[in-house]
Amino acid sequence: MTMSHQPPHEYVDAHCHVDLFREPARLVADAAKHQVHTIAVTNAPFVFPHTEAIARGNPFVHAALGLHPELVATHGQQLGRFVELLSSTRFVGEVGLDYSTHDVELRKRQRAVFESILQHCAGARERKVITVHSRRAASDVIAALGAKLPGTVILHWFTGTLRELEHALAAGVMFSVNSAMLSGQSGQRLVRAMPRDMVLTESDGPFVGPKTAPESPTSMEGTIASLASLWGVEREEAQRTVLANFKRAIR
Ligand SMILES: [Zn+2]
């Protein structure tokens, strides 16, 4: 038996709000225990140092510096703090655009913040890994990314059209998919259209799953099972593919 036939033990959770769980430290310890490579996103720069401290020294958990588009109205002035902290991490998120708001001025401010963040990532010495939110704003997110990506860009919980998906792929982005996407028809259609070497798994916990037991890094076994059945492959093959994708993404 060669090494490649051994079942893989590691999983990937490319987008988890670790700091919004009741016991973040325990979640981080569990991610390591279960060997789940986890990107611990944050929604505002002021919470990043706390998440970073919890994840420090943990080889599986990467704290990401974020400024969520839905917080731009209240925390947009923290962009300066974001820029100051950027050199301390390779991982960025959650950032992006959210057009649930119909406020034109607010959308404009979101774009200004997002574009500034991308510019700083592009100018950074290290190649950043950026997890991006694009609800109802896929076209503008893709346009903001431009032809040359400022690092590895992962569109999380993508809900755009198939055409927008094509544009995103042409730009070279990856996707992280969760159990909510894999259980709905429109999400499944999108995941089927994604090349397998561009797909990662995510929990987006605690926003996905029941409130009492939200999806978390340790739920990724189930997400891999759903993905494998969608792909029509063995679980181990899906797991191996996602793991290889993640290692390429953070290389
Ligand atoms: Zn999120």
Side-chain angles (χ1 to χ4, degrees):
M1 203 185 211
T2 63
M3 279 298 285
S4 65
H5 288 104
Q6 303 232 334
H9 298 290
E10 299 165 30
Y11 290 91
V12 172
D13 183 351
H15 189 106
C16 179
H17 294 266
V18 165
D19 59 342
L20 300 181
F21 281 81
R22 206 171 302 157
E23 295 179 89
R26 212 185 74 184
L27 199 84
V28 161
D30 281 350
K33 192 172 133 202
H34 295 271
Q35 304 187 55
V36 188
H37 299 275
T38 303
I39 300 181
V41 297
T42 56
N43 286 341
F46 78 97
V47 289
F48 171 75
H50 183 64
T51 301
E52 202 277 324
I54 292 173
R56 197 176 301 150
N58 186 317
F60 281 91
V61 182
H62 310 282
L65 173 65
L67 184 44
H68 196 287
E70 289 183 289
L71 293 189
V72 160
T74 52
H75 295 74
Q77 80 285 0
Q78 283 199 22
L79 182 60
R81 183 92 183 98
F82 183 101
V83 173
E84 280 167 23
L85 288 165
L86 187 61
S87 62
S88 68
T89 179
R90 282 192 62 212
F91 293 83
V92 173
E94 177 163 3
V95 297
L97 300 176
D98 189 307
Y99 287 176
S100 305
T101 174
H102 294 285
D103 184 332
V104 176
E105 279 309 306
L106 189 51
R107 287 184 176 188
K108 217 159 119 186
R109 250 185 102 193
Q110 285 186 15
R111 281 197 297 276
V113 166
F114 184 46
E115 279 162 17
S116 172
I117 286 171
L118 292 176
Q119 222 163 47
H120 281 98
C121 288
R125 255 186 335 131
E126 274 189 320
R127 186 182 166 79
K128 304 293 186 191
V129 180
I130 314 166
T131 169
V132 175
H133 176 106
S134 59
R135 182 161 57 198
R136 297 188 187 163
S139 286
D140 276 7
V141 163
I142 296 157
L145 295 172
K148 196 176 174 302
L149 294 181
T152 300
V153 173
I154 305 164
L155 287 186
H156 113 87
W157 200 342
F158 181 77
T159 53
T161 62
L162 283 172
R163 213 182 143 71
E164 286 165 337
L165 179 78
E166 264 174 47
H167 290 155
L169 286 167
V173 308
M174 300 182 86
F175 298 88
S176 55
V177 307
N178 60 46
S179 65
M181 284 179 83
L182 289 165
S183 60
Q185 267 190 0
S186 54
Q188 286 177 357
R189 193 181 322 123
L190 287 167
V191 177
R192 263 192 215 101
M194 295 169 186
R196 291 179 190 179
D197 63 349
M198 299 306 254
V199 175
L200 302 167
T201 45
E202 67 165 41
S203 65
D204 200 19
F207 297 113
V208 172
K211 259 207 179 83
T212 47
E215 293 276 298
S216 73
T218 51
S219 322
M220 292 304 95
E221 199 176 339
T223 305
I224 280 291
S226 305
L227 188 60
S229 87
L230 188 93
W231 282 349
V233 301
E234 296 290 327
R235 285 178 192 203
E236 281 175 15
E237 190 185 326
Q239 188 179 356
R240 222 185 293 277
T241 300
V242 167
L243 190 59
N245 294 346
F246 184 76
K247 294 201 164 158
R248 204 175 72 243
I250 67 165
R251 194 163 55 201

